[in-house]
Amino acid sequence: GDKMRIYITSVPISDYDNAVAFYTEKLGFVKKRDIEMGHAMRFITLVSPEDPEGPELLLEPNADHRGIKALREALAEDGIPITSFAVRDLDEEYKRLAGLGVMLTQRPMRQGGWDSAVLDDTNGNLIELTEVPSA
């Protein structure tokens, strides 16, 4: 039968337009869905242009929910990313993002056989970028 797969994962955001602009213009994701839900709510998902049928990233407008707010503040204070995105060439991607004015909070470093860097997504989240070793 069909195996379980990851369909949607989310990042908490505080502002739709700001998040869409950052995640598409700077990080290079592509908008897949943008559905008006009423009460100024939208269901917005993004995908990698390389994998349009792959997992979708939901921009979840719950940044101010008390539980999420506490989690985000604690993670940011401790410098812990809320999620991780894979890149093919970390040094190249780091330079590209720096050139676009993205705030990078950790330079590329090697930890446990993985190379990673961290950026600030302008919506209160730290995001890890990881160069995934080929399996």
Side-chain angles (χ1 to χ4, degrees):
D2 280 350
K3 297 277 187 261
M4 198 178 293
R5 64 186 178 89
I6 296 170
Y7 150 60
I8 266 183
T9 185
S10 66
V11 290
I13 60 150
S14 43
D15 180 289
Y16 286 118
D17 294 332
N18 172 294
V20 167
F22 182 84
Y23 280 83
T24 59
E25 294 164 19
K26 302 278 203 267
L27 299 190
F29 289 104
V30 176
K31 199 192 294 185
K32 180 157 184 173
R33 305 172 204 273
D34 187 348
I35 303 162
E36 289 289 339
M37 307 288 283
H39 307 290
M41 299 290 282
R42 289 156 71 190
F43 183 82
I44 301 177
T45 67
L46 310 172
V47 290
S48 164
E50 291 175 12
D51 192 7
E53 299 309 311
E56 296 174 43
L57 181 68
L58 174 65
L59 300 178
E60 181 77 81
N62 60 359
D64 294 328
H65 177 278
R66 67 181 193 283
I68 298 289
K69 195 172 160 91
L71 172 68
R72 280 158 50 94
E73 284 169 3
L75 288 174
E77 197 175 300
D78 293 343
I80 299 171
I82 199 159
T83 193
S84 182
F85 299 143
V87 296
R88 197 168 284 128
D89 182 325
L90 185 64
D91 290 328
E92 209 169 277
E93 189 62 9
Y94 186 89
K95 284 187 199 116
R96 185 187 78 79
L97 292 170
L100 290 174
V102 172
M103 193 199 300
L104 294 139
T105 63
Q106 180 200 298
R107 292 185 147 291
M109 357 182 327
R110 172 157 285 254
Q111 285 172 308
W114 295 74
D115 291 324
S116 67
V118 179
L119 63 85
D120 182 318
D121 80 344
T122 73
N123 257 262
N125 302 301
L126 295 178
I127 307 280
E128 179 185 59
L129 301 177
T130 305
E131 189 174 310
V132 181
S134 33

